[in-house]
Amino acid sequence: MILAVLFANSEGNILIERFHGVPAEERLHWRSFLVKLGAENLKGAKSEELLVASHKSVSIVYTMIGDVCLYIVGKDEYDELALSEVIFAVTSAVKDVCAKPPTERLFLDKYGRICLCLDEIVWQGLLENTEKDRVRRLIRLKPPVEP
Amino acid sequence: MPRSLAGDLTDPEMAQPYMKKDDDDSDIEYSPFFGIEKGAVLQEARAFHDPQLDARRCSQVITKLLYLINQGESFTKVEATEVFFAVTKLFQSNDAGLRRLVYLMIKELSPSSDEVFIVTSSLMKDMNSKTDMYRANAIRVLCRIIDGNLLTQIERYLKQAIVDKNPVVASAALVSGIHLLQANPEIVKRWSNEVQEAVQSRAALVQFHGLALLHQTRQNDRLAISKLVSSLTRGSVRSPLAQCLLIRYTSQVIRESSNTQSGDRPFFDYLESCLRHKAEMVILEAARKITEMDVTSRELAPAITVLQLFLSSSKPVLRFAAVRTLNKVAITRPLAVTNCNVDLESLMSDQNRSIATLAITTLLKTGNESSVDRLMKQITSFMSDISDEFKIVVIEAIRSLCLKFPLKYRSMMIFLSNSLREEGGFEYKKAIVDSIVTLIGAIPDAKEIGLLHLCEFIEDCEFTYLSSQILHFLGNEGPRTSDPSRYIRYIYNRVILENPTVRASAVSTLAKFGALVDELKPRIFVLLRRCLFDTDDEVRDRATLYLQTLNGEVAVGNSEKDVKEFLFGSFDVPLANLEASLRTYEPSEEPFDISLVSREARSQPLQDKKAAGKKPPAGAPTPAPVSAVDAYQKMLSSIPEFSGFGRLFKSSEPVELTEAETEYAVNVVKHIYENHVVLQYNCTNTIPEQLLEDVTVYVDATDAEEFSEVFSKPLKSLPYDSPGQIFVAFEKPEHVPAIGRFSNVLKFTVKEVDTSSGEADEDGVEDEYQLEDLEIVSADYMLRVAVSNFRNAWENMDPESERVDEYGLGARESLAEAVSAVTSILGMQPCEGTEVVSSNARSHVCLLSGVYIGGVKVLVRLSFGLSGPKEVAMKLAVRSDDPEVSDKIHEIVASG
């Protein structure tokens, strides 16, 4: 299960978050934990360099894309390897929508599109689509091009 | 949902002007959501009702609504309903971008069941649309919002969608199936033919989702999974994600199938072949699964080799995955990982601290004795730039290493003591102190140096808890060292410098030195007398108590040993029980008697279904929790026939004598006295149309020769859902832990009840109901009583009482299973967490304590070892207050 997908700006303010299977009372804990993790480790990291951590029985893969931090938390079958697939799908889709690694402003400008991308990639805790070209077409309700 | 993340959403900064980094102050850009307000956005949402829809404007409004939802803004029920109804109007527009947002918005709003009907027809229409993407999205939205009834209506379409030629539609249906399986398993299981077809799909993701769903629908059917795996491992699974799933399922099949000996092992060969796959994810998954299996070193080697290659990968996730796997392997098979040591050492400087920490802790497990010193040096430089969380992991690894190479204790003790001096939070410092305490316990040579390190630490310790813990430990260990006087200075400094809690602990520690070291006694008394003038009353009280009892001014028991036992003996009353008893104690002439407090560690509240249904009125004081034994003692002593039985020794937990959901629910509680046993049958009548009268339990004790029935207390009537109790008392020889099997039959007169009026017929019919048999076993004569310090308690018991023997326990499922079986046969309390067996352990020591009938303290050391594949051997050492009881424990184990 993908427990959380969370976008935050460099100050730690949440831009988008999606939780699945996490009780409401634990979400605050996760938010602060992830933001703290990012504050400690993402400074000086290269854009899109993946960082990875584990906390209790869950895995966390996180990165910085442009000015925006992205955290993905998973457990069971979504270990660090599966999560790196998910984060790769999300970052490519975001870059595709924004045409480059986004600044916070650009990210907010494309907010609706990014929400749609996320909806295509992760659906209620499961990975659904992975390729950015496909996601780009899907959010415009266009069928994917057959390989 | 309000949020308060440090400086986040409530922070106005979110809506502050956005500034480009390279621009100066004059060139300010605003966030598109600057100054956004819920009320205004809801107003804007009225645009959804326009007869001429402006798709662009509507999309912007939906985006704003999404932003509000993502920022934790909550809508009232009315607002949500209004927005939902407005959004449904947008189905009139054929603008693709807008429709996509509408689908997302409906999912976000998750309408309530009485609102869903508004969109179902639109969504059903979309689900049958010619446009593939409408179909896919409508399926996802419908599956999110519908219930089981509606699902049966659209099931036909979903089955078609699973085999749709458009992979997006098929995936949408399959993923929906995975979600729907939780609530409607019986419906989703009917789709297996279609899902099976999807697994053969050429589209990679369809195959992945199909495989996941197929496995979930069949996960309880081993044979089906085995067939699935064997057909797929031969075929071609395209997507690496699906391949990873298949690897997991294959290893599950291997684990569950017992015939691993046969020469032909297609499943294992498949896993091995995956080590040569082109996708890194697949290789790692296969390697990970192989390392988790019980394989020979030769079979393990290729997996370790690929993991080693990943250690130097440029991708951090792969390095992390590899080192995490190797770390696990190192716990059970350190030698297999030694080849990777060079690569692991280079990872110690990895940018990612999670990887570096895992590398270090792995090295600490695989390193040999000669490399310890070098490793410790490297770690010292590493420790300064990692967080406490990682430091704790390292400290724990060092503790295990030290236990493995006891001769190297000196350098590791120095490392631990240096770590104590550095900055760090409570958890970190506690981990270090715990490690030093463990090492002192395990390595006698390390005792004095360890104690001195701890003494130095408390000179400058900011944590009251740790100071008190160390002072207590010093009191236990210090007096038994070669020169106890050297510690006094550190302890007395606490009395002068610290807060009242620490001062009180220090007084107790001083007193222990005084009691145990005769030559120090006069000088300790001088120090204790100074404490009589302390500003805190607890400190003064303790000093007074110790001075008077140790001086012999107040008589406690008959000998000096009694005094020491009184002052420093282990406190064997669980604090929760003591608290509960004190709360129920009513001030009277009769003093509170601590010996009457239950020693049973576990407390099971008296189950009374009738009371459970009725909640106390609001504002009424909640009754204090009373331990089960106290409550039973009170209840039983109120029955005149039982009042002569003396003190209740133990009450068992209720044993069910009927299966769940039968006509009559009966469980029994066994009350053990010195020479009696009372069986309390708790009966519930679950049939509203019946009233039971003159209810008795006929107990046949022919298989329990030493018991003879002395009294039975039947139940006059047992109406529906109103539990009642029947008691049957037996006499047994005094102090003899008699065992036996009792068969039980419930006998009663049953009367029909008119449920509308609640009146019962005059005439009844005699009937009986067979209950399950009941056994009284040896464990019933043992109280689970914990000791706080097992080693001290063991050493304080007479070695003459020790009885040791060895047993073969035969083939067992696991070591943990053997530990729990022996523990439950004896019915004793596991101490110091030793009931937990680490996975893959080849040996284990479990410590148990208890009080045997007659009030005899018993301590047991169980040493388990695996010989052969699953053969478990056990060494049992018992010490007790009475050597005969030690023999008895061996008899129990031998007959169990």
Side-chain angles (χ1 to χ4, degrees), chain B residues 59-284:
Chain B
S59 298
Q60 281 169 351
V61 178
I62 291 190
T63 308
K64 285 184 187 172
L65 285 166
L66 285 172
Y67 181 77
L68 284 174
I69 293 173
N70 277 328
Q71 291 299 297
E73 189 72 70
S74 59
F75 295 126
T76 63
K77 175 89 176 97
V78 177
E79 287 167 348
T81 308
E82 256 176 37
V83 172
F84 172 65
F85 283 170
V87 168
T88 58
K89 299 266 178 171
L90 299 178
F91 273 103
Q92 288 166 16
S93 165
N94 281 326
D95 184 277
L98 179 60
R99 180 66 63 89
R100 183 64 189 83
L101 279 168
V102 169
Y103 292 133
L104 174 58
M105 197 60 205
I106 296 175
K107 284 193 275 186
E108 288 292 322
L109 288 169
S110 22
S112 60
S113 52
D114 53 338
E115 296 168 349
V116 168
F117 73 95
I118 299 281
V119 277
T120 43
S121 60
S122 305
L123 288 171
M124 301 261 257
K125 199 175 124 206
D126 281 0
M127 203 164 76
N128 291 301
S129 158
K130 286 207 178 87
T131 315
D132 289 346
M133 290 305 100
Y134 281 18
R135 289 212 301 281
N137 279 290
I139 288 172
R140 295 197 290 188
V141 181
L142 268 173
C143 291
R144 174 81 182 261
I145 60 178
I146 58 172
D147 57 14
N149 271 338
L150 201 56
L151 179 59
T152 41
Q153 286 181 40
I154 62 164
E155 188 187 354
R156 187 160 58 94
Y157 305 115
L158 287 174
K159 278 161 93 170
Q160 278 170 17
I162 289 173
V163 288
D164 198 294
K165 63 178 189 304
N166 186 323
V168 179
V169 180
S171 272
L174 288 165
V175 180
S176 299
I178 296 174
H179 289 304
L180 291 167
L181 192 66
Q182 315 296 328
N184 304 286
E186 66 295 339
I187 299 180
V188 180
K189 281 181 184 165
R190 292 202 291 252
W191 308 347
S192 69
N193 285 342
E194 286 78 9
V195 180
Q196 205 131 30
E197 202 178 319
V199 173
Q200 304 302 332
S201 164
R202 284 180 55 237
L205 278 172
V206 174
Q207 202 173 38
F208 167 58
H209 293 133
L211 184 56
L213 178 57
L214 197 61
H215 179 258
Q216 282 195 24
T217 51
R218 296 180 175 178
Q219 59 185 342
N220 296 323
D221 184 350
R222 274 194 205 182
L223 193 66
I225 298 287
S226 173
K227 273 186 187 167
L228 173 73
V229 167
S230 61
S231 75
L232 287 177
T233 47
R234 271 174 286 160
S236 60
V237 173
R238 283 177 186 79
S239 105
L241 284 165
Q243 194 96 24
C244 285
L245 287 186
L246 189 57
I247 290 171
R248 282 178 205 154
Y249 304 156
T250 309
S251 83
Q252 184 192 345
V253 171
I254 296 176
R255 208 172 40 239
E256 285 170 358
S257 64
S258 47
N259 55 341
T260 46
Q261 282 88 359
S262 63
D264 203 19
R265 297 192 304 167
F267 292 146
F268 186 80
D269 294 344
Y270 165 72
L271 289 187
E272 205 169 34
S273 73
C274 288
L275 292 176
R276 296 181 289 278
H277 198 274
K278 59 180 185 298
E280 290 151 336
M281 182 198 251
V282 175
I283 302 175
L284 263 167

Side-chain angles (χ1 to χ4, degrees), chain B residues 281-298:
Chain B
M281 182 198 251
V282 175
I283 302 175
L284 263 167
E285 192 64 43
R288 190 175 274 179
K289 288 297 163 201
I290 291 175
T291 59
E292 283 169 11
M293 288 161 53
D294 196 8
V295 289
T296 62
S297 305
R298 234 183 68 195

Side-chain angles (χ1 to χ4, degrees), chain B residues 400-633:
Chain B
S400 322
L401 183 71
C402 191
L403 292 174
K404 195 164 132 199
F405 302 123
L407 287 177
K408 290 287 171 188
Y409 75 87
R410 208 170 279 275
S411 63
M412 286 185 246
M413 272 292 187
I414 290 171
F415 176 85
L416 290 173
S417 104
N418 286 341
S419 307
L420 265 182
R421 274 189 226 121
E422 277 161 23
E423 287 292 304
F426 171 73
E427 293 297 334
Y428 173 49
K429 293 290 168 82
K430 184 169 183 302
I432 303 173
V433 171
D434 288 347
S435 297
I436 295 180
V437 168
T438 311
L439 296 183
I440 290 175
I443 308 166
D445 288 346
K447 186 170 172 177
E448 304 225 351
I449 173 172
L451 286 178
L452 277 175
H453 286 315
L454 290 176
C455 282
E456 270 163 34
F457 173 58
I458 55 172
E459 287 282 40
D460 191 23
C461 171
E462 54 184 316
F463 305 107
T464 301
Y465 176 92
L466 289 180
S467 294
S468 297
Q469 187 197 352
I470 292 171
L471 283 166
H472 176 79
F473 184 69
L474 262 178
N476 287 341
E477 300 294 338
R480 298 197 182 91
T481 53
S482 57
D483 182 11
S485 65
R486 67 205 296 200
Y487 305 107
I488 302 297
R489 178 170 63 88
Y490 298 100
I491 301 166
Y492 190 66
N493 276 348
R494 307 280 68 71
V495 178
I496 303 167
L497 299 168
E498 299 280 357
N499 63 40
T501 312
V502 179
R503 293 207 300 275
S505 304
V507 168
S508 298
T509 308
L510 282 176
K512 273 188 202 168
F513 275 81
L516 297 171
V517 189
D518 281 340
E519 58 270 33
L520 285 179
K521 202 168 180 176
R523 284 184 279 166
I524 294 281
F525 276 18
V526 173
L527 297 177
L528 283 178
R529 272 189 212 106
R530 289 190 195 167
C531 302
L532 292 173
F533 303 102
D534 196 279
T535 51
D536 185 78
D537 48 2
E538 171 71 22
V539 179
R540 290 196 306 273
D541 287 355
R542 284 196 191 194
T544 312
L545 174 75
Y546 292 130
L547 277 169
Q548 302 223 339
T549 44
L550 292 175
N551 241 347
E553 289 166 30
V554 175
V556 178
N558 301 321
S559 64
E560 204 177 327
K561 194 175 168 230
D562 289 340
V563 174
K564 286 176 190 166
E565 180 63 26
F566 167 70
L567 290 178
F568 310 118
S570 64
F571 189 63
D572 59 356
V573 182
L575 287 177
N577 296 11
L578 179 61
E579 186 190 352
S581 297
L582 280 169
R583 280 177 191 278
T584 51
Y585 170 71
E586 284 159 15
S588 64
E589 290 292 303
E590 199 182 327
F592 180 78
D593 185 356
I594 196 166
S595 67
L596 289 179
V597 179
S598 161
R599 261 66 173 166
E600 188 88 15
R602 200 175 21 160
S603 73
Q604 170 89 14
L606 197 62
Q607 290 192 341
D608 187 348
K609 288 178 191 166
K610 201 166 83 180
K614 294 177 190 165
K615 286 189 177 158
T622 43
V626 179
S627 80
V629 174
D630 281 357
Y632 284 135
Q633 168 88 48

Side-chain angles (χ1 to χ4, degrees), chain B residues 305-357:
Chain B
T305 311
V306 298
L307 290 171
Q308 187 177 6
L309 289 176
F310 281 122
L311 289 179
S312 43
S313 161
S314 61
K315 297 179 186 167
V317 172
L318 297 180
R319 295 201 300 274
F320 179 82
V323 74
R324 189 160 78 101
T325 311
L326 287 171
N327 188 289
K328 273 196 195 145
V329 181
I331 297 172
T332 47
R333 310 173 82 159
L335 281 180
V337 187
T338 349
N339 281 347
C340 310
N341 279 2
V342 177
D343 303 84
L344 287 168
E345 278 182 33
S346 64
L347 283 186
M348 282 170 67
S349 52
D350 198 289
Q351 281 291 309
N352 188 321
R353 303 329 270 164
S354 301
I355 296 176
T357 312

